[in-house]
Amino acid sequence: PDVILLDLMMPKLGGLGVLDKLNKAGNKAPVIIYTNLDTEEKKKEVMEKGAADFISKAHSNPQEVLQVIRKHLLSSA
């Protein structure tokens, strides 16, 4: 994929587990976390684990989400 949009609240493995597996597999696509778990601690944790960006579902609109995705698509081109 060119970009990965990943939620943190998912059954079984969860977003952090997926992020860890992507890192171990050598993923090069930017991973954008899109979640309602928008505490500063959680944001810091996912960014330290290699996420390219963090979007709060509750504090964003579809245009803002697209803007972030486009930014990462253009920077990886």
Side-chain angles (χ1 to χ4, degrees), residues 6-69:
L6 181 63
D7 197 348
L8 295 179
M9 296 298 296
M10 299 188 312
K12 298 182 183 177
L13 186 57
L16 288 175
V18 171
L19 186 58
D20 286 339
K21 286 190 178 277
L22 287 167
N23 290 336
K24 287 179 184 170
N27 172 61
K28 300 294 183 209
V31 178
I32 302 168
I33 302 299
Y34 182 56
T35 187
N36 271 323
L37 296 175
D38 61 352
T39 65
E40 284 301 315
E41 295 83 22
K42 189 59 68 179
K43 182 176 181 178
K44 181 180 177 188
E45 179 181 10
V46 298
M47 298 305 280
E48 287 175 352
K49 287 183 176 269
D53 220 320
F54 187 96
I55 304 170
S56 168
K57 286 182 181 179
H59 299 106
S60 64
N61 62 51
Q63 291 76 22
E64 292 168 331
V65 174
L66 286 173
Q67 195 172 30
V68 172
I69 292 170

